[in-house]
Amino acid sequence: MTLKVAKFGGTSLADAQQIRKVQQIIQADAQRRYVVPSAPGKRHKDDKKITDLLYLCHAHAQQAIAFDEVFTLISERYRCIASDLGLKIDLGPQLAEVQSRIASVAQAGGGADYAASRGEYLNGLIIAELLGYDFVDAAEIIAFDEHGRFDSERTQAFVSQRLLKHETAVVPGFYGAKPDGSIKTFSRGGSDISGAIVARGVGATVYENWTDVNGLLMADPRIVPNPKPMAVVTYRELRELAYMGASVLHDEAIFPVRKAGIPVNIRNTNEPEHPGTMIVRDAEPVTHHGSITGIAGRRDFTVVALEKGMMNSEVGFGRRLLSVFEDHGVSYEHTPSGIDTMSIVVADNQIDGKLEKVLADIRNRCEPDSLEVFPQMALIATVGHGMAQTPGIAARVFTALAKAGVNIRMIDQGSSEINIIIGVQNADFEKAQRAIYAAFEA
């Protein structure tokens, strides 16, 4: 039997009207047996997210400033949601406990994670009441160690043993607990991670991630007007696109289901009939020969390029060069190279304030014939599993850029052959992406 885990984001649960949509989605498919909710998000652009208000309460409590007014906004928001849904649930005791604990724990020097997690906790109680599902506190099944690191194996055992005893259940996203019972949250957006953990734990056949868009897009809509959606994307393609700045699921949110080979379906709560984007295993057959999957990029890189005759025969040259960056605490992104040349691509926020010392050490240790610096660079990745089996993909990319008058400063293609990364000036960043997209749009 197909078993689905459905995670719903904050915009999907912002108010009673949105939650009714969620209820209809879940009740439309009996296979959606486990639900992972976020805290209520913004109802409009000037609204506040519940999580932000809870963080504000904690900040006030740390400074011994009364936060009753802020907490009243939170309480009224939840009471309004419950009332508008026609629920009889009494959240008074839970709200009182949350307010009391935020104050006491914050004044003891901690508690930010506890405060932030209550948004999902309270929303989970409401969703479980509405659906008639069991409520399972994430603190009881998602484990962190004493240092606050996620404990994957203990969590897997807890989730499997506990949830499979429930025919249906609601598990709040975003948090778990350390061995002493204290609450620990994931990074912001962590409900995506929670959903993936639950999906892996119960052996789901599909992990549905419901949000406010019709899946993932081939390019950034702020740069490329009306980019096409991606119907299918593999985990590896997604990793490449996310690394290059695409607004997709966080790596941590993908890992549990990727490890288990569970596909992820990105869906739109406001258009549930749209199939969205399916994220599948890397071993799935390539169905998009002759095209690309997506385009993503990031600005603000610096390229340090050096040349030295007979570099290739100098044993340990690459190690000495990279050790300079390591000694200065600078991580690098790419290392395009030739017989006598080597370039190191670093993000500006890594090299800022360190460049001159890094260059001096390179001259001292590597004795290059020439050493140049190219600032204000942008990297753009063209990604697609079908690229490796299709002649002429690179030619189409480079021809499109040439026609657009974009000067390519760097080319790098990994051994996986699922991406081509080009370096251009920051000023050409958006123009280059639009040109590449247009070349493959048809």
Side-chain angles (χ1 to χ4, degrees), residues 78-141:
Y78 281 112
R79 288 193 171 105
C80 182
I81 288 173
S83 175
D84 289 348
L85 290 172
L87 301 178
K88 302 297 184 183
I89 184 172
D90 179 13
L91 293 174
Q94 288 88 354
L95 287 165
E97 180 184 359
V98 170
Q99 185 174 13
S100 174
R101 283 198 61 186
I102 288 176
S104 61
V105 179
Q107 290 173 15
D113 284 11
Y114 171 80
S117 72
R118 296 306 86 181
E120 279 73 12
Y121 174 80
L122 293 167
N123 220 25
L125 292 173
I126 291 174
I127 303 301
E129 180 75 12
L130 177 67
L131 297 173
Y133 281 21
D134 298 334
F135 176 82
V136 177
D137 191 351
E140 299 173 5
I141 60 173

Side-chain angles (χ1 to χ4, degrees), residues 147-293:
H147 302 293
R149 296 173 300 208
F150 174 60
D151 190 330
S152 175
E153 297 312 311
R154 285 182 62 221
T155 296
Q156 171 74 6
F158 289 162
V159 172
S160 298
Q161 293 167 10
R162 178 72 179 276
L163 287 188
L164 291 178
K165 296 178 181 177
H166 298 265
E167 184 66 23
T168 57
V170 172
V171 182
F174 189 36
Y175 70 93
K178 295 193 282 189
D180 64 0
S182 61
I183 297 297
K184 181 73 178 72
T185 61
F186 293 104
S187 57
R188 291 298 289 262
S191 292
D192 289 336
I193 306 173
S194 301
I197 291 168
V198 171
R200 181 189 175 205
V202 300
T205 45
V206 178
Y207 168 36
E208 294 182 333
N209 193 297
W210 292 84
T211 180
D212 57 357
V213 294
N214 289 330
L216 308 178
L217 301 175
M218 284 184 64
D220 187 339
R222 295 167 298 183
I223 297 173
V224 176
N226 302 314
K228 293 179 180 178
M230 293 186 281
V232 179
V233 59
T234 67
Y235 289 122
R236 284 177 66 196
E237 290 171 321
L238 189 73
R239 171 79 173 97
E240 296 286 348
L241 291 167
Y243 165 70
M244 288 304 296
S247 298
V248 294
L249 291 177
H250 193 283
D251 291 347
E252 294 177 26
I254 291 296
F255 182 75
V257 286
R258 178 177 184 174
K259 186 174 183 179
I262 299 170
V264 180
N265 194 190
I266 309 297
R267 303 286 292 275
N268 188 348
T269 303
N270 300 315
E271 294 186 42
E273 68 284 352
H274 194 286
T277 298
M278 189 68 77
I279 306 170
V280 300
R281 294 179 302 168
D282 303 322
E284 294 288 328
V286 175
T287 58
H288 40 272
H289 290 287
S291 187
I292 63 172
T293 299

